[in-house]
Amino acid sequence: MGVEMVGVLVILSVFLLMFLRVPIVISMAIPGILGLLYLKGEIPLYAAIDSVIWQHSYHYTLSTIPLFVLMGQLLYKAGFSDELFTAFRNWFGRLKGGLGIATIGASAMFASSSGSSLATTGTIGVVASKEMLKAGYAKSLTGGSIVAGGTLGILIPPSTMFIIYGMVTEQSIGKLLIAGIIPGILLTLFFMATIYISIMFNPKLISDVQEPKVSWKVKFSSLKANGWILALFTLVMGGIYVGAFTATEAAGIGALGAFLIALIRRKLTFANFTEAVFNTVKTTGFIFAIVMGAFLLNFVLTITQVPNLLADFLFAKSLSPTIIFLLIVIMYLILGAIMDTLAMIVVTIPIILPILQLLEFDLIWFGVIIVLLVEMALISPPIGMNCFVLKGVVEELELSDIFKGSFLFMVPILTLITLLYIFPEIALFLPNLVK
Amino acid sequence: ACGGVESNTTDDGSKVYELNLNVSAAPTSPFNVNVAEPWAEYVEKETDGVVKVNVFPSAALGSLATSFDDVNAGVYEAGLVPPGLHVDTDLFPLTIADTPFLVNSPEVAQKVVTQFVDQFMKDSFVEGTFMGVSSTDSYQIYSTNPIQSVEDLNNQKLSDSVAARLELFKQLGAVPVSLDNTALYESLERGVVDSVAYTAVGANGYKLSEVAPYMTKVDLAVSVLPFFINTNFLDSLPEEIKQQFVDDFGPKYADLMTELYTSSAEEGIKIYEEAVKDKGGAVYEPTAEEMEEFKAPVKKQMENWVNEANKRGYNGQEMMDYFVELLESAGVQVPK
Amino acid sequence: MTILDKIIGMIVNVNKWISFGILVLMMIFVGIAALSRGLGYPIIGDVEFVQFGMVLLIVGSLAFTEDTNSHIAIGIVVDKFPKWIQTVLDIISQMLTIGFCFVVAYVFFIKLNFVHASTLLRIPFYPFKILLIIGFVAWALVAIKKLIYSIQSLKKSTV
Ligand code: NA
Ligand code: NA
């Protein structure tokens, strides 16, 4: 059997196992291990396992992940998600599709304290779905708004995706996080506009029930939760921006800050606190397991020359950078439909990294593109993790409704990708300003 | 390959041996373009295609930190193994070259370390075979404030990745920090460190001039880069080709590195100087007296190395004496 | 069975509280280290402390993550299958998980060496590698527990 054939078999087994409900880490690790054993033998296999697992445990930069996750968890336990939604509802509720817009706003705000899209979807989802369904919003629009809003979790910093991407490409995590700010704000506005416009075309998506009027006093006093989060966000991202601390330090300060805020607001019981920490430990557990599995798989894919074949193919045709970029986007749309996103990043970025370097694409800019593609992946069927999470927390929403609603929100994401390709400054303006 | 992978053949039907070469530099880097790729072509040409070299840039097959283990185990067949990252292995004797201010150019490294290995380490390597050695260009100090004398180093947070040099900085009054190379830029920018020790070529690669406007040209030391090939792989080759590797291909890899780093060292410093000029930065070359101060702890460091070597069961003094002899015959002035 | 349950439950518990302590310590340490550096007193070896902390955090998280079914799996296809097929597939999953954990534990065991240490603080790696072995074995134990349950439920449904 030829080496390339082994590579193809390994990839096929990964997908087979994944669809048989084998945990992602195991689906990648087992074919990776068997492939390595077959191609290289026992001794090299052991060396590879030893170095992959040790190097990704004994890792400074990756400590940013649990710390940022903890920050979001603590704020969630401090009871912010309800308040965020209420605030946006008070301000935007009376607009057409106002509750959808409030969902996006609350998601964006929560995203600026949480590194994870799944966490953002889960937390905002519970309160937003209840209110939207009660107000007579269509199930598709309700589900779509929540899962789309949830994707902002990884674009607006902090973001586990940027951290993983930065680790794999050896780019500055700080710059990547900052690069997400403007695209994050833009995408928030695009999502809001999408809701507004879709209701103009199809008024049946919402009921005629008018939201009650809210006094200015109530409006302003409901902003308190937003104020706390913005203050912490400014401290953490501002600190990175002016060069006061590194991404890892910022994560530690963010978690510590969230802890203090929860204390000050008297929302932090010992039970709450342990739950926040244990949730973080679980998240850390599955993230690192997937990272290790993916790197084991990478070893096999690398030595089977799959990456070189891909690069040779792209360059042999002497395609223009734009066409190659387009092919990369299409590849991620396909992979994103059927793969776990974290695994997708760790496995594919090393493969396309040489191509990106040869094309001299800016890797910070490309990081933003990748995160947007991951956002699409999170809401596209059949494997759309955000949709699964929402289904998990809200029984009455059917997966088919959620996926139907989420399709609409791919338009603004694709629009933003196009804009970023034409105007890279959208992503690079802020990070280039840094000192 | 042990696993019964069907091997390809050349046009005239002889078996093709595939050699995977791990390179930590990026595909577009001078190292890849001027060393790895030309070497791969050279080997393929000289063996009439019997050996096929696959170059894996960007450390795709594994980080330098585990390279010794990886080559020995055959995770890949060939790669560089910096002794500074393998202090606790059989490579320990080669850390003698990390002692500051002794080895100051790739040329000296290639000459001196090759002879040192011949003398003391011939039988040390079993699973991996030592094929040749060169080094990076010299390490200089890049800082956010001008450093002209040892006093300027006082309480400065200074980063390096090699234990011996960290020790030197400690003795010179600085606060040593150990950082990953990829964190250098950000750490200077954020004030995690005030200065870093690195090669001029590397500093330009990471654009350190943007965040550290001062360079002090102290020629601290080079990073020695021994080139290893997996022994099983060599033994699997036809005798004639194996001999070609030992006599020609191994030294060739070292020659290409020496060529690259020698020509780019001076150029690298010039590029840095150009880059920092507009921002009021400068490259400073310390006077002879100032250099004496920087070098003051060297004698002590040589003793430390000897003690450490003795502790690990080597004859440290004998190694150091011979090393000094080699250095002096290569024209290096060794501090007395 | 109940004894096995209890023992494994205890191991998971110990692991998760180790992670708990380490994560809280890391939060405080990173925050303080950043402040201290800002004030001009960098903590020597802070990076290595965090690196070792990460190893401990991961060690503690693996079994706990398995125990709470938090390792991500994709159920969209299998969820629609008849119960007994699902259980058969679960058994396969669990056996693969156990196999993976033992391979990793075995590799760390045979490659264990007592010399390697960190660059700056010269803290030896081996105690942490031993803990990694324990972490992966604990993960395997939880999977074994689940495997036993799966086999039992399969027996019941076919009887
Ligand atoms: Na976020
Ligand atoms: Na998807």
Side-chain angles (χ1 to χ4, degrees), chain A residues 59-68 115 154-181 236-241 245-252 288 345 362-365 367-368 371 427-428 430-432 434, chain B residues 180-187 189-190:
Chain A
H59 204 295
Y60 180 66
T61 315
L62 287 180
S63 66
T64 320
I65 291 178
L67 291 171
F68 272 141
I154 50 168
L155 180 60
I156 297 175
S159 157
T160 50
M161 249 346 133
F162 276 131
I163 296 167
I164 295 282
Y165 173 85
M167 175 202 62
V168 178
T169 58
E170 303 194 327
Q171 294 299 299
S172 154
I173 309 268
K175 283 196 174 178
L176 281 165
L177 293 177
I178 286 172
I181 296 178
V236 171
M237 293 314 298
I240 292 180
Y241 187 78
F245 27 78
T246 64
T248 307
E249 292 173 338
F288 280 85
I345 295 292
D362 184 292
L363 290 179
I364 300 281
W365 166 82
V368 178
V371 166
L428 295 178
L430 277 186
N432 284 346
V434 173
Chain B
D180 197 58
N181 284 344
T182 54
L184 295 179
Y185 183 98
E186 198 181 356
S187 302
E189 187 180 34
R190 311 250 173 271

Side-chain angles (χ1 to χ4, degrees), chain A residues 19-24 29 46 54 57-59 63 244 248-249 274 277-278 282 285-286 288-289 382-383 385, chain C residues 16 20 30 37 50-51 54 58 61 65 68 70 72 74 76-79 86 90 93 100 106-107 110 118 125:
Chain A
F19 277 93
L20 291 181
R21 210 168 68 186
V22 175
I24 308 276
Y46 295 166
W54 178 251
S57 312
Y58 184 70
H59 204 295
S63 66
T248 307
E249 292 173 338
T274 48
V277 176
F278 284 145
K282 275 187 263 181
F286 87 70
F288 280 85
I383 311 295
M385 273 303 170
Chain C
K16 82 177 197 191
F20 178 94
V30 173
R37 177 178 66 68
V50 173
Q51 284 173 301
M54 278 305 289
I58 291 166
S61 69
T65 307
T68 51
S70 306
I72 290 190
I74 292 165
I76 190 153
V77 183
V78 175
D79 288 350
Q86 292 197 30
D90 283 344
S93 262
F100 169 69
Y106 172 72
V107 167
I110 57 164
S118 68
F125 286 151

Side-chain angles (χ1 to χ4, degrees), chain A residues 309-349:
Chain A
L309 290 178
L310 185 68
D312 288 350
F313 169 78
L314 291 177
F315 282 101
K317 301 255 188 304
S318 57
L319 302 168
S320 73
T322 309
I323 299 290
I324 295 183
F325 178 77
L326 213 63
L327 287 175
I328 291 175
V329 169
I330 291 170
M331 176 186 94
Y332 276 108
L333 290 181
I334 296 169
L335 281 178
I338 53 175
M339 225 178 142
D340 172 67
T341 52
L342 190 57
M344 177 172 90
I345 295 292
V346 180
V347 172
T348 58
I349 294 294

Side-chain angles (χ1 to χ4, degrees), chain A residues 205-223:
Chain A
L205 286 171
I206 55 171
S207 69
D208 306 325
V209 186
Q210 190 53 259
E211 283 276 303
K213 231 179 153 130
V214 180
S215 75
W216 285 103
K217 197 174 154 218
V218 174
K219 277 187 185 176
F220 277 102
S221 70
S222 67
L223 286 178

Side-chain angles (χ1 to χ4, degrees), chain A residues 73-102:
Chain A
Q73 279 293 332
L74 286 166
L75 290 178
Y76 168 54
K77 291 295 166 196
F80 275 115
S81 44
D82 287 16
E83 284 178 51
L84 292 180
F85 185 78
T86 309
F88 279 94
R89 178 186 205 158
N90 289 345
W91 283 83
F92 297 105
R94 289 170 65 82
L95 279 176
K96 251 192 183 52
L99 290 190
I101 292 173

Side-chain angles (χ1 to χ4, degrees), chain B residues 21-38 80 201 225 253 256-257 260-261:
Chain B
L21 172 69
N22 194 36
V23 171
S24 66
T28 49
S29 68
F31 189 95
N32 202 47
V33 175
N34 297 325
V35 180
E37 296 288 354
L80 294 177
V201 175
L225 299 171
Y253 202 76
L256 287 168
M257 283 194 282
L260 168 70
Y261 283 118

